[in-house]
mmCIF file of all heavy atoms in Angstrom:
data_model
loop_
_atom_site.group_PDB
_atom_site.id
_atom_site.type_symbol
_atom_site.label_atom_id
_atom_site.label_comp_id
_atom_site.label_asym_id
_atom_site.label_seq_id
_atom_site.Cartn_x
_atom_site.Cartn_y
_atom_site.Cartn_z
ATOM 1 N N THR A 1 89.027 52.316 166.657
ATOM 2 C CA THR A 1 90.466 52.352 166.841
ATOM 3 C C THR A 1 91.056 50.958 166.846
ATOM 4 O O THR A 1 92.079 50.682 166.169
ATOM 5 C CB THR A 1 90.812 53.052 168.171
ATOM 6 O OG1 THR A 1 90.281 54.385 168.161
ATOM 7 C CG2 THR A 1 92.313 53.123 168.385
ATOM 8 N N ALA A 2 90.414 50.046 167.568
ATOM 9 C CA ALA A 2 90.904 48.643 167.614
ATOM 10 C C ALA A 2 90.794 47.974 166.257
ATOM 11 O O ALA A 2 91.696 47.191 165.864
ATOM 12 C CB ALA A 2 90.124 47.864 168.665
ATOM 13 N N LEU A 3 89.748 48.255 165.522
ATOM 14 C CA LEU A 3 89.559 47.654 164.190
ATOM 15 C C LEU A 3 90.610 48.129 163.210
ATOM 16 O O LEU A 3 91.149 47.372 162.422
ATOM 17 C CB LEU A 3 88.158 47.948 163.676
ATOM 18 C CG LEU A 3 87.027 47.185 164.342
ATOM 19 C CD1 LEU A 3 85.695 47.843 164.052
ATOM 20 C CD2 LEU A 3 87.019 45.737 163.828
ATOM 21 N N ILE A 4 90.900 49.443 163.265
ATOM 22 C CA ILE A 4 91.923 49.983 162.375
ATOM 23 C C ILE A 4 93.290 49.381 162.668
ATOM 24 O O ILE A 4 94.063 49.017 161.767
ATOM 25 C CB ILE A 4 91.986 51.532 162.534
ATOM 26 C CG1 ILE A 4 90.746 52.159 161.930
ATOM 27 C CG2 ILE A 4 93.235 52.093 161.889
ATOM 28 C CD1 ILE A 4 90.531 51.873 160.452
ATOM 29 N N LYS A 5 93.592 49.209 163.936
ATOM 30 C CA LYS A 5 94.847 48.581 164.327
ATOM 31 C C LYS A 5 94.934 47.133 163.851
ATOM 32 O O LYS A 5 96.013 46.621 163.598
ATOM 33 C CB LYS A 5 95.038 48.636 165.838
ATOM 34 C CG LYS A 5 95.323 50.049 166.347
ATOM 35 C CD LYS A 5 95.500 50.081 167.863
ATOM 36 C CE LYS A 5 95.829 51.473 168.348
ATOM 37 N NZ LYS A 5 95.978 51.533 169.827
ATOM 38 N N ALA A 6 93.776 46.484 163.718
ATOM 39 C CA ALA A 6 93.748 45.097 163.234
ATOM 40 C C ALA A 6 93.811 45.024 161.696
ATOM 41 O O ALA A 6 93.911 43.933 161.152
ATOM 42 C CB ALA A 6 92.477 44.422 163.743
ATOM 43 N N GLY A 7 93.680 46.170 161.043
ATOM 44 C CA GLY A 7 93.780 46.201 159.579
ATOM 45 C C GLY A 7 92.466 46.297 158.827
ATOM 46 O O GLY A 7 92.446 46.120 157.612
ATOM 47 N N ALA A 8 91.410 46.627 159.535
ATOM 48 C CA ALA A 8 90.093 46.735 158.892
ATOM 49 C C ALA A 8 89.903 48.117 158.285
ATOM 50 O O ALA A 8 90.591 49.078 158.601
ATOM 51 C CB ALA A 8 88.991 46.458 159.916
ATOM 52 N N ARG A 9 88.931 48.184 157.364
ATOM 53 C CA ARG A 9 88.468 49.457 156.822
ATOM 54 C C ARG A 9 87.124 49.748 157.473
ATOM 55 O O ARG A 9 86.230 48.873 157.502
ATOM 56 C CB ARG A 9 88.348 49.371 155.296
ATOM 57 C CG ARG A 9 87.892 50.661 154.624
ATOM 58 C CD ARG A 9 88.137 50.558 153.125
ATOM 59 N NE ARG A 9 87.462 49.374 152.547
ATOM 60 C CZ ARG A 9 86.232 49.384 152.048
ATOM 61 N NH1 ARG A 9 85.513 50.491 152.095
ATOM 62 N NH2 ARG A 9 85.707 48.297 151.523
ATOM 63 N N VAL A 10 86.947 50.907 158.002
ATOM 64 C CA VAL A 10 85.781 51.210 158.869
ATOM 65 C C VAL A 10 84.971 52.380 158.346
ATOM 66 O O VAL A 10 85.518 53.435 157.996
ATOM 67 C CB VAL A 10 86.236 51.511 160.323
ATOM 68 C CG1 VAL A 10 85.031 51.861 161.180
ATOM 69 C CG2 VAL A 10 86.966 50.313 160.907
ATOM 70 N N LEU A 11 83.648 52.185 158.322
ATOM 71 C CA LEU A 11 82.728 53.297 158.109
ATOM 72 C C LEU A 11 82.159 53.646 159.483
ATOM 73 O O LEU A 11 81.498 52.833 160.125
ATOM 74 C CB LEU A 11 81.595 52.912 157.174
ATOM 75 C CG LEU A 11 80.476 53.943 157.014
ATOM 76 C CD1 LEU A 11 81.000 55.220 156.348
ATOM 77 C CD2 LEU A 11 79.314 53.372 156.187
ATOM 78 N N LEU A 12 82.439 54.850 159.963
ATOM 79 C CA LEU A 12 81.981 55.299 161.274
ATOM 80 C C LEU A 12 80.868 56.322 161.090
ATOM 81 O O LEU A 12 81.074 57.387 160.522
ATOM 82 C CB LEU A 12 83.173 55.922 162.041
ATOM 83 C CG LEU A 12 82.912 56.469 163.437
ATOM 84 C CD1 LEU A 12 82.421 55.365 164.359
ATOM 85 C CD2 LEU A 12 84.176 57.104 163.995
ATOM 86 N N VAL A 13 79.693 55.951 161.552
ATOM 87 C CA VAL A 13 78.493 56.805 161.366
ATOM 88 C C VAL A 13 78.088 57.412 162.700
ATOM 89 O O VAL A 13 77.973 56.696 163.719
ATOM 90 C CB VAL A 13 77.330 55.931 160.839
ATOM 91 C CG1 VAL A 13 76.052 56.770 160.662
ATOM 92 C CG2 VAL A 13 77.728 55.290 159.513
ATOM 93 N N ASP A 14 77.849 58.749 162.716
ATOM 94 C CA ASP A 14 77.475 59.385 163.959
ATOM 95 C C ASP A 14 76.534 60.558 163.701
ATOM 96 O O ASP A 14 76.679 61.308 162.728
ATOM 97 C CB ASP A 14 78.698 59.886 164.679
ATOM 98 C CG ASP A 14 78.403 60.372 166.099
ATOM 99 O OD1 ASP A 14 77.882 59.558 166.882
ATOM 100 O OD2 ASP A 14 78.679 61.527 166.423
ATOM 101 N N ALA A 15 75.562 60.718 164.587
ATOM 102 C CA ALA A 15 74.580 61.814 164.432
ATOM 103 C C ALA A 15 75.129 63.139 164.862
ATOM 104 O O ALA A 15 74.594 64.194 164.485
ATOM 105 C CB ALA A 15 73.309 61.478 165.230
ATOM 106 N N GLY A 16 76.192 63.159 165.643
ATOM 107 C CA GLY A 16 76.755 64.414 166.177
ATOM 108 C C GLY A 16 77.576 65.162 165.143
ATOM 109 O O GLY A 16 77.995 64.609 164.136
ATOM 110 N N GLU A 17 77.836 66.423 165.468
ATOM 111 C CA GLU A 17 78.645 67.247 164.589
ATOM 112 C C GLU A 17 80.117 66.921 164.681
ATOM 113 O O GLU A 17 80.877 67.165 163.757
ATOM 114 C CB GLU A 17 78.437 68.728 164.918
ATOM 115 C CG GLU A 17 77.041 69.239 164.576
ATOM 116 C CD GLU A 17 76.939 70.760 164.709
ATOM 117 O OE1 GLU A 17 77.984 71.396 164.949
ATOM 118 O OE2 GLU A 17 75.829 71.285 164.608
ATOM 119 N N ARG A 18 80.535 66.410 165.819
ATOM 120 C CA ARG A 18 81.938 66.030 166.020
ATOM 121 C C ARG A 18 81.959 64.786 166.918
ATOM 122 O O ARG A 18 81.030 64.549 167.672
ATOM 123 C CB ARG A 18 82.759 67.174 166.615
ATOM 124 C CG ARG A 18 82.228 67.760 167.872
ATOM 125 C CD ARG A 18 83.022 69.018 168.255
ATOM 126 N NE ARG A 18 82.784 70.100 167.319
ATOM 127 C CZ ARG A 18 81.842 71.026 167.456
ATOM 128 N NH1 ARG A 18 81.023 70.991 168.502
ATOM 129 N NH2 ARG A 18 81.690 71.954 166.555
ATOM 130 N N PRO A 19 83.048 64.011 166.847
ATOM 131 C CA PRO A 19 83.080 62.752 167.617
ATOM 132 C C PRO A 19 83.173 63.012 169.132
ATOM 133 O O PRO A 19 83.549 64.101 169.583
ATOM 134 C CB PRO A 19 84.368 62.083 167.110
ATOM 135 C CG PRO A 19 85.234 63.220 166.672
ATOM 136 C CD PRO A 19 84.278 64.226 166.082
ATOM 137 N N GLY A 20 82.815 62.022 169.903
ATOM 138 C CA GLY A 20 82.926 62.134 171.355
ATOM 139 C C GLY A 20 81.689 61.712 172.117
ATOM 140 O O GLY A 20 81.769 61.264 173.247
ATOM 141 N N GLY A 21 80.533 61.858 171.462
ATOM 142 C CA GLY A 21 79.307 61.503 172.144
ATOM 143 C C GLY A 21 79.027 62.379 173.339
ATOM 144 O O GLY A 21 79.530 63.475 173.469
ATOM 145 N N GLN A 22 78.169 61.889 174.237
ATOM 146 C CA GLN A 22 77.787 62.653 175.429
ATOM 147 C C GLN A 22 78.976 62.793 176.403
ATOM 148 O O GLN A 22 79.168 63.856 176.992
ATOM 149 C CB GLN A 22 76.604 61.962 176.114
ATOM 150 C CG GLN A 22 76.149 62.617 177.411
ATOM 151 C CD GLN A 22 75.281 63.850 177.167
ATOM 152 O OE1 GLN A 22 75.464 64.577 176.192
ATOM 153 N NE2 GLN A 22 74.342 64.092 178.054
ATOM 154 N N TYR A 23 79.758 61.732 176.552
ATOM 155 C CA TYR A 23 80.835 61.739 177.569
ATOM 156 C C TYR A 23 81.986 62.655 177.162
ATOM 157 O O TYR A 23 82.565 63.362 178.003
ATOM 158 C CB TYR A 23 81.358 60.331 177.778
ATOM 159 C CG TYR A 23 80.384 59.467 178.574
ATOM 160 C CD1 TYR A 23 79.649 58.467 177.954
ATOM 161 C CD2 TYR A 23 80.207 59.661 179.944
ATOM 162 C CE1 TYR A 23 78.771 57.685 178.671
ATOM 163 C CE2 TYR A 23 79.323 58.889 180.665
ATOM 164 C CZ TYR A 23 78.615 57.906 180.022
ATOM 165 O OH TYR A 23 77.736 57.142 180.747
ATOM 166 N N TRP A 24 82.355 62.625 175.889
ATOM 167 C CA TRP A 24 83.480 63.444 175.440
ATOM 168 C C TRP A 24 82.994 64.614 174.586
ATOM 169 O O TRP A 24 83.624 65.005 173.630
ATOM 170 C CB TRP A 24 84.454 62.606 174.631
ATOM 171 C CG TRP A 24 85.218 61.623 175.439
ATOM 172 C CD1 TRP A 24 85.433 61.625 176.790
ATOM 173 C CD2 TRP A 24 85.890 60.424 174.978
ATOM 174 N NE1 TRP A 24 86.172 60.545 177.186
ATOM 175 C CE2 TRP A 24 86.472 59.815 176.091
ATOM 176 C CE3 TRP A 24 86.075 59.889 173.712
ATOM 177 C CZ2 TRP A 24 87.205 58.637 175.985
ATOM 178 C CZ3 TRP A 24 86.793 58.708 173.592
ATOM 179 C CH2 TRP A 24 87.353 58.085 174.730
ATOM 180 N N ARG A 25 81.850 65.170 174.964
ATOM 181 C CA ARG A 25 81.310 66.294 174.213
ATOM 182 C C ARG A 25 82.285 67.453 174.306
ATOM 183 O O ARG A 25 82.742 67.810 175.393
ATOM 184 C CB ARG A 25 79.933 66.695 174.757
ATOM 185 C CG ARG A 25 79.220 67.710 173.893
ATOM 186 C CD ARG A 25 77.891 68.082 174.530
ATOM 187 N NE ARG A 25 76.964 66.997 174.505
ATOM 188 C CZ ARG A 25 76.207 66.637 173.487
ATOM 189 N NH1 ARG A 25 76.311 67.323 172.358
ATOM 190 N NH2 ARG A 25 75.355 65.657 173.575
ATOM 191 N N HIS A 26 82.576 68.104 173.174
ATOM 192 C CA HIS A 26 83.509 69.217 173.211
ATOM 193 C C HIS A 26 83.216 70.199 172.079
ATOM 194 O O HIS A 26 82.543 69.835 171.095
ATOM 195 C CB HIS A 26 84.967 68.717 173.080
ATOM 196 C CG HIS A 26 85.219 67.901 171.831
ATOM 197 N ND1 HIS A 26 84.733 66.619 171.648
ATOM 198 C CD2 HIS A 26 85.871 68.204 170.670
ATOM 199 C CE1 HIS A 26 85.108 66.177 170.464
ATOM 200 N NE2 HIS A 26 85.790 67.114 169.864
ATOM 201 N N SER A 27 83.740 71.376 172.208
ATOM 202 C CA SER A 27 83.522 72.375 171.160
ATOM 203 C C SER A 27 84.616 72.276 170.094
ATOM 204 O O SER A 27 85.645 71.616 170.310
ATOM 205 C CB SER A 27 83.551 73.786 171.786
ATOM 206 O OG SER A 27 84.772 74.005 172.454
ATOM 207 N N ALA A 28 84.415 72.923 168.962
ATOM 208 C CA ALA A 28 85.414 72.932 167.908
ATOM 209 C C ALA A 28 86.711 73.521 168.413
ATOM 210 O O ALA A 28 86.723 74.521 169.117
ATOM 211 C CB ALA A 28 84.886 73.708 166.680
ATOM 212 N N GLY A 29 87.826 72.880 168.080
ATOM 213 C CA GLY A 29 89.144 73.366 168.514
ATOM 214 C C GLY A 29 89.513 73.006 169.931
ATOM 215 O O GLY A 29 90.525 73.455 170.434
ATOM 216 N N SER A 30 88.685 72.168 170.583
ATOM 217 C CA SER A 30 88.965 71.780 171.967
ATOM 218 C C SER A 30 90.232 70.931 172.028
ATOM 219 O O SER A 30 90.590 70.213 171.090
ATOM 220 C CB SER A 30 87.794 70.955 172.525
ATOM 221 O OG SER A 30 88.128 70.358 173.731
ATOM 222 N N ALA A 31 90.924 71.041 173.178
ATOM 223 C CA ALA A 31 92.138 70.273 173.367
ATOM 224 C C ALA A 31 91.866 68.827 173.828
ATOM 225 O O ALA A 31 92.789 68.042 174.014
ATOM 226 C CB ALA A 31 93.035 70.947 174.403
ATOM 227 N N LEU A 32 90.578 68.469 173.952
ATOM 228 C CA LEU A 32 90.212 67.146 174.450
ATOM 229 C C LEU A 32 90.795 66.033 173.597
ATOM 230 O O LEU A 32 91.186 64.983 174.103
ATOM 231 C CB LEU A 32 88.692 67.014 174.524
ATOM 232 C CG LEU A 32 88.143 65.744 175.155
ATOM 233 C CD1 LEU A 32 88.484 65.707 176.652
ATOM 234 C CD2 LEU A 32 86.638 65.636 174.986
ATOM 235 N N ALA A 33 90.840 66.237 172.260
ATOM 236 C CA ALA A 33 91.334 65.190 171.362
ATOM 237 C C ALA A 33 92.752 64.801 171.689
ATOM 238 O O ALA A 33 93.150 63.637 171.465
ATOM 239 C CB ALA A 33 91.245 65.678 169.922
ATOM 240 N N ALA A 34 93.545 65.728 172.225
ATOM 241 C CA ALA A 34 94.942 65.412 172.564
ATOM 242 C C ALA A 34 95.043 64.420 173.679
ATOM 243 O O ALA A 34 96.024 63.700 173.826
ATOM 244 C CB ALA A 34 95.693 66.695 172.933
ATOM 245 N N LYS A 35 93.963 64.319 174.491
ATOM 246 C CA LYS A 35 93.982 63.436 175.656
ATOM 247 C C LYS A 35 93.515 62.006 175.308
ATOM 248 O O LYS A 35 93.770 61.087 176.058
ATOM 249 C CB LYS A 35 93.066 63.988 176.763
ATOM 250 C CG LYS A 35 93.500 65.340 177.274
ATOM 251 C CD LYS A 35 92.512 65.825 178.329
ATOM 252 C CE LYS A 35 92.873 67.213 178.842
ATOM 253 N NZ LYS A 35 91.900 67.696 179.873
ATOM 254 N N HIS A 36 92.796 61.865 174.209
ATOM 255 C CA HIS A 36 92.213 60.564 173.878
ATOM 256 C C HIS A 36 92.568 60.169 172.431
ATOM 257 O O HIS A 36 92.169 60.815 171.471
ATOM 258 C CB HIS A 36 90.699 60.619 174.030
ATOM 259 C CG HIS A 36 90.235 60.930 175.437
ATOM 260 N ND1 HIS A 36 90.289 59.976 176.459
ATOM 261 C CD2 HIS A 36 89.743 62.043 175.961
ATOM 262 C CE1 HIS A 36 89.826 60.543 177.570
ATOM 263 N NE2 HIS A 36 89.487 61.777 177.298
#
């Protein structure tokens, strides 16, 4: 997020099916994204 705001182009690589990792783990369609 900070890199994009600075004007960079980012390749974001993740092993999970959806973003969030262990702390923001959520199911498809979760409202969690609206909070972060």
Side-chain angles (χ1 to χ4, degrees):
T1 301
L3 286 163
I4 289 301
K5 289 180 177 179
R9 181 166 56 91
V10 177
L11 173 64
L12 180 60
V13 179
D14 190 58
E17 291 189 8
R18 54 188 68 93
Q22 178 78 328
Y23 286 106
W24 290 339
R25 189 181 293 278
H26 58 287
S27 58
S30 168
L32 186 66
K35 299 179 183 179
H36 299 285

